Amino acid sequence: MSYGLIILSVGNLILYLNYRTLGYSWIVVFKFMMHTTEFYIALGSAIVLGAIVLDLRFEKISSQEDKV
């Protein structure tokens, strides 16, 4: 599910690059893109996907602390 959200969010962010053809500068376009909901969804999904791929679990961390 996280992968699908990343694909959809980044796809929408790429569409915002069309503002360059309207005469906006790169800085303005990237500032606008960083304040959209799609950016936050892509960022959150990337964090969740990274945690899943790297097998970061809270149970594993807390159980290791109990053994120490």
Side-chain angles (χ1 to χ4, degrees), residues 3-63:
Y3 181 73
L5 287 173
I6 289 174
I7 296 298
L8 291 173
S9 300
V10 171
N12 285 337
L13 288 172
I14 289 172
L15 290 175
Y16 288 129
L17 294 176
N18 287 327
Y19 283 120
R20 281 287 297 145
T21 61
L22 296 175
Y24 292 102
S25 68
W26 284 107
I27 295 171
V28 172
V29 172
F30 285 128
K31 281 184 182 178
F32 174 75
M33 287 171 58
M34 290 180 69
H35 288 90
T36 60
T37 306
E38 288 90 358
F39 177 75
Y40 294 115
I41 291 173
L43 188 63
S45 297
I47 291 170
V48 169
L49 186 63
I52 292 170
V53 168
L54 296 174
D55 197 26
L56 300 175
R57 296 184 191 160
F58 293 112
E59 297 91 25
K60 184 184 284 187
I61 294 171
S62 64
S63 65

